[in-house]
Amino acid sequence: MITEHQEVARYRVAERIRIAEARARRQEVREALKVDRVSAPRHELAVVLRRLADRLEPQPRNRRPGLSVVRSQAR
């Protein structure tokens, strides 16, 4: 039988592992963008468009599909 303390500890470890894996995936994407020169300009354009969208509309809210496509590709 697992105690509550053990269950909380297990949850925290699982959460830390999930965060570390997500960080590793983001790092892999960054490295791939550095190597892949063809998609780098597209990535830079997406970043610029995302920043422009944030300036024009600083309050986060549900956006139309046009901007959400740019945001999802930039991440």
Side-chain angles (χ1 to χ4, degrees), residues 5-73:
H5 178 72
Q6 290 172 327
E7 187 65 28
V8 169
R10 180 180 287 177
Y11 173 79
R12 287 181 180 168
V13 168
E15 184 68 16
R16 287 181 182 172
I17 290 172
R18 186 188 65 77
I19 290 169
E21 288 174 343
R23 187 179 303 125
R25 282 192 298 271
R26 286 192 305 268
Q27 185 64 30
E28 288 174 358
V29 169
R30 286 186 195 123
E31 292 298 323
L33 286 174
K34 287 180 183 177
V35 172
D36 187 14
R37 304 235 184 252
V38 175
S39 66
R42 184 180 299 164
H43 174 72
E44 291 174 15
L45 177 61
V47 170
V48 169
L49 289 175
R50 188 176 73 239
R51 287 182 184 160
L52 178 63
D54 288 339
R55 279 191 212 147
L56 294 175
E57 193 175 347
Q59 298 296 328
R61 66 182 184 108
N62 291 336
R63 297 192 167 143
R64 284 180 242 148
L67 290 177
S68 64
V69 170
V70 172
R71 288 182 174 274
S72 65
Q73 289 177 354

